[in-house]
Amino acid sequence: MNFQSFDLNLLRILDSLLILRNTTRVGEAVGLSQPAVSAALRRLRDVLGDPILVREGNLLVPTDFALSLQEPVHSALLMLEDALSGGGGFDPARLDRSFVIAASDYFQEMLIPKLAASLSAAAPNVRLKVLPPRSRDLAAMLTSGSFDLALSIDVETPGWITRMPVFRASNAVVARRGHPYLGGLQWGDRLPLDVFCGLPHVIFSVNEEFAHMEDAALARLDRSRHVQLSVAGYHGVGRAVAESDLLGVLPTRFALSVAKMAGISVFRLPFDEPLIGMFLYWRERETRSRELSWLRNMIVEQLAPFDETNAPVTDAEFSLASRE
């Protein structure tokens, strides 16, 4: 490879590809279209003489050569960012500060166990506080200075709030184990539409609304459901379902993760709906902060395995959770 003619802009795309492993999400992260990212991947393959990412079923998997590049490329970009920002060398091990993240119990369940281990190893003096969002008004939460970062679904924000995609997820229906109206159904089966509409529901909401995207999907089918209860936590949905005949809708992998503890069964929705995008938000003026950039990258890397864009929840995952 002739390094003199190498387009260094490709390194930023390579770094994102090795973390996110999806051309659409990389495009969202770096501000390019999906075709532009695919073209950049082809250029990387030509220049480096390696496929970089290969498809295995629905997954894009890095080659051994690509994995050998991941750490040095990522470290080099961080060093370059640090140099251009005018600061000295950034070493997480010497970092001594607190971060506050707004995140629902859904994100806490999926993120915190791995993030805690990574922080302990890389930055033992960092203190991380994770609090539930007070509302869907992320701009107000970030403006107040009470939070450094926020994890949420796709919401409208002003121009001085920026974001990056972290993963996309599906939803599933949950019901108490041994529910009298669900006899004969196996975990992972599609719940019949008449059952979904005929039983009362509990939903997660941080405001006064009693409608979700499932209600829009039902309206397109000229159907509706009765929402009897709204709670401000995903675990609250599980607890309400476990002690009643209510149905609930939860992110699928979250539901499978807590099913044994909550005493619930998990089924597929009776209709198709698009995957829900999850995003990491922060103040635009802090985009170049070395400390926050380091934490953002760590969060994105920890959450990447939960992305269902190329790895939907399988029947085997439902079956395994049902036996626990």
Side-chain angles (χ1 to χ4, degrees):
M1 183 191 77
N2 183 357
F3 186 76
Q4 296 296 325
S5 61
F6 182 76
D7 183 356
L8 295 179
N9 289 314
L10 293 175
L11 290 180
R12 188 164 66 104
I13 297 173
L14 175 61
D15 181 52
S16 294
L17 281 168
L18 294 177
I19 293 175
L20 300 175
R21 303 178 187 184
N22 178 274
T23 54
T24 299
R25 293 181 60 221
V26 168
E28 293 172 346
V30 303
L32 294 174
S33 66
Q34 187 275 333
V37 174
S38 294
L41 178 57
R42 288 194 295 271
R43 291 175 62 195
L44 283 164
R45 286 167 169 166
D46 290 340
V47 171
L48 299 176
D50 186 85
I52 306 300
L53 294 171
V54 295
R55 187 167 294 281
E56 293 185 3
N58 291 323
L59 300 176
L60 285 175
V61 180
T63 63
D64 289 343
F65 174 70
L67 287 175
S68 74
L69 295 177
Q70 185 168 11
E71 180 57 33
V73 167
H74 187 66
S75 297
L77 288 172
L78 287 178
M79 290 176 62
L80 181 60
E81 178 184 356
D82 181 66
L84 294 176
S85 67
F90 174 68
D91 182 3
R94 297 202 302 265
L95 185 60
D96 185 0
R97 65 161 288 182
S98 298
F99 296 98
V100 184
I101 301 175
S104 69
D105 54 348
Y106 166 42
F107 289 106
Q108 294 182 40
E109 176 77 24
M110 311 309 284
L111 171 65
I112 295 306
K114 289 186 176 181
L115 184 61
S118 296
L119 283 175
S120 296
N125 295 317
V126 163
R127 297 167 299 282
L128 183 63
K129 181 180 290 187
V130 184
L131 299 174
R134 299 165 185 161
S135 71
R136 290 196 185 276
D137 190 352
L138 296 184
M141 290 192 296
L142 291 171
T143 300
S144 69
S146 301
F147 297 93
D148 299 297
L149 302 169
L151 283 159
S152 178
I153 59 173
D154 183 9
V155 296
E156 290 188 13
T157 56
W160 52 267
I161 298 293
T162 192
R163 71 180 190 181
M164 66 188 303
V166 287
F167 65 96
R168 290 187 173 94
S170 64
N171 279 335
V173 186
V174 294
R176 70 177 173 92
R177 298 198 179 193
H179 195 295
Y181 292 96
L182 306 184
L185 288 176
Q186 302 297 316
W187 284 48
D189 286 349
R190 276 192 183 272
L191 194 74
L193 182 60
D194 287 342
V195 175
F196 186 84
C197 296
L199 290 172
H201 285 246
V202 53
I203 64 170
F204 161 78
S205 180
V206 294
N207 53 35
E208 68 280 1
E209 294 179 1
F210 275 85
H212 278 184
M213 61 186 300
E214 290 78 31
D215 298 285
L218 288 172
R220 290 191 291 270
L221 299 172
D222 198 27
R223 300 294 296 269
S224 63
R225 64 174 175 170
H226 171 53
V227 176
Q228 191 171 73
L229 178 65
S230 172
V231 296
Y234 289 95
H235 280 290
V237 171
R239 287 193 293 270
V241 162
E243 300 296 330
S244 70
D245 286 341
L246 296 172
L247 298 180
V249 174
L250 292 173
T252 306
R253 286 202 166 107
F254 172 87
L256 294 175
S257 174
V258 304
K260 179 180 179 180
M261 176 183 65
I264 57 177
S265 299
V266 189
F267 308 94
R268 297 188 189 274
L269 287 166
F271 44 79
D272 293 326
E273 65 177 14
L275 296 176
I276 303 167
M278 308 295 177
F279 297 85
L280 181 61
Y281 296 81
W282 67 92
R283 291 176 285 271
E284 171 66 27
R285 60 182 170 81
E286 293 177 324
T287 294
R288 296 179 63 185
S289 164
R290 292 169 294 158
E291 298 172 357
L292 282 171
S293 178
W294 164 78
L295 181 59
R296 290 194 301 264
N297 288 332
M298 181 175 288
I299 290 172
V300 171
E301 189 169 354
Q302 297 291 348
L303 288 174
F306 300 110
D307 183 46
E308 295 183 46
T309 304
N310 291 315
V313 179
T314 64
D315 291 339
E317 289 181 75
F318 278 97
S319 178
L320 178 62
S322 71
R323 296 195 298 268
E324 292 181 346

